[in-house]
Amino acid sequence: MVFSGRKRVALISVHGDPAIEIGKEEAGGQNVYVRHVGEALALQGWQVDMFTRRTSPEQSAVVQHTPHCRTIRFTAGPQRFVPRDEIFEFLPEFVQAFLEFQQQQETPYQLIHSNYWLSSWVGMELSRKLAIPQVHTYHSLGAVKYKSISTIPLIAKTRLAVEKKCLETVDRVVATSPQEQEHMRSLVSAHGKVDIIPCGTRIDHFGTIAQAEARHTLGIKPDEKVVLYVGRFDPRKGIETLVRAVHRCQARHTESLRLIIGGGSRPGYSDGDERERIEAIVAELGITAITHFPGRLSHEDLPTYYAAADVCVVPSHYEPFGLVTIEAMACGTPVIGSDVGGLQFTVVPEETGLLAPPKDEVAFATALDRILLNPDWRNQLGQAARQRVETMFSWHGVASQLGHLYEALIEEQQLQESSVDASSKSLAQVSA
Ligand code: UDP
C-alpha cells in the first residue's frame, strides 16, 4: 500500500493494545491514549500504524480504525494474556517482527513513538537499527510506582535501568504533566530532553448529556447523591480509600447515597483478586446495599455514568495523568482526586474539584461531604471543569502538539543526514 504524501509514524504499545476493550485486566489509559492520538494524527495528515502484541489466536493481525490509522498485532511470546511484568523476554521477537514487517513496506517509517517502558526498549532498538528519531511517553514510572507498593517485582531492576537509559538517550520524552516531568528529573535522571504535552479526551463525546437525562436512563432518582469511580481494579487505584470514605459519610446522607464502582473484568481474570478484596471490604463495612458494581463500562455508556454522578472520585496512590479525571470533568462532573502526580495538574482545587492526601479516608470523606452537601457549588465546579477540559485537553490539540514535535525531529534528522553526506563527500574529495 502506498500512502502518498503522508509522513509515516509507528506508535509502539507492546502491552497496551489500542484496538481492544478498555477497562478490564490491564487495559486502561495507555490503550485509550495510543488509539486516540493515532486517530487524531491521521486526521491531521499522518499515516499512523500502531503496533502491539497479539494476545489470542482469534485476534486479527490488522485492525483498520480509519483510512489512515490501523493497529498491527505481532506474535511475540505466547498468544495469550501475559502480565506486563513478564513480557520483557519476548521483546527481541517483537523487534524482529517489526523489522520484517517494515521490509515488506514500500515507504519506511520516519519516526517511532513508544509507550511505557517495555515499548521504550523496542523503540530504542529500532531507532538505532533504522536510524530514525524516537519519542517516548512513559505512562507510569517505575521509580514512582515502586515507592507506593510493598512487593517489588523481579523485573524492577531491569525496568529502572531501561527507563533511565530511555530518558537520557531518546530524541524526546513526552511528560503528560509538569508533575511527571518533575518526577523524571528528581527520580530518574537530570539528563535528556523532555517536553510537556498532556493527555486528551473526546470533548464532543463526553459532555453531551444532561444530568437529569442520564439519571433517567440509569434509573437513578433526582434526589439521590451519586459518587462514581471508574477504572481498573488495581491496588494502586486506591478504591479501598473511597469505599471507607463513603462509609464514613454515609450517616450524613441517610439512604439517598449511592456508590458506583465501574470497571473490572468477569471473575477469573487477573484483576479479580482486587475486585474480590474490595467487595469483601464493602460487605464488612455494611454498605453493600448502596454500592453497585456495574462491571466494565463502554465508552458509549460512560458519558451517561459521568453525567449522572454528583462527583467522580480518583483515589489513586499514584497517577501519572489519569484520563478518567478529564473524562468526568468534560461531562461537567467535579472530581475529588488524590493530591498526587497528574491529578495535581488536571484538578484545580476549589475550582474544578478537590484534592485530598492519598490513602486518607477521613480527608476524602470531608471532601465528599463538602461537594454533596452544596449542590450549587457542585454545579459551579462542574462548569469550570468542563471549561478547563475544552481549553486544555482535546485530542485534537494534543495530537497537533505531538505532530509539531514529530515534524521538528524528522527535520533535525534530515539535516543531520545531509550534513553527514556533505562531510563524507568533502572527505572523499580531499583524499582524491
Ligand atoms: N475505562 C473504560 N471502562 C471502564 C473502566 C475504565 O473505558 O470500565 C477507561 C476510562 O474511560 C479511561 C481509561 O480506561 O479512558 C483509564 O485511564 P486512566 O488514565 O484513568 O487510568 P489507567 O488505566 O491508565 O491507570
Side-chain angles (χ1 to χ4, degrees), residues 95 120-130 134 165:
V95 169
S120 80
W121 189 90
V122 170
M124 286 189 279
E125 289 289 298
L126 291 174
S127 160
R128 187 171 52 80
K129 286 188 192 320
L130 302 170
Q134 179 183 5
K165 182 172 173 207

Side-chain angles (χ1 to χ4, degrees), residues 22 28-29 32 232 236-237 263 296-297 299 302 322-324 327:
I22 309 301
V32 172
R232 294 178 292 116
R236 132 167 119 77
K237 289 290 183 179
R296 192 191 84 80
L297 300 171
H299 266 217
L302 270 170
L323 280 176
V324 162
E327 290 167 6

Side-chain angles (χ1 to χ4, degrees), residues 89-102:
E89 61 176 302
F90 308 121
L91 297 184
E93 218 182 310
F94 197 97
V95 169
Q96 195 50 38
F98 187 101
L99 292 171
E100 282 164 20
F101 180 86
Q102 153 124 334

Side-chain angles (χ1 to χ4, degrees), residues 5 41 90 93 146 149 152 155 159 177 196 218 225 228 233-234 264-265 272 288 308 314 356 368 396 432:
L41 283 166
F90 308 121
E93 218 182 310
Y146 298 144
I149 56 176
I152 308 290
I155 197 72
R159 175 175 177 175
S177 65
I196 299 174
L218 298 178
K225 299 287 179 198
L228 176 69
F233 276 79
D234 178 325
S265 316
T288 306
V314 184
L368 279 171
H396 176 79

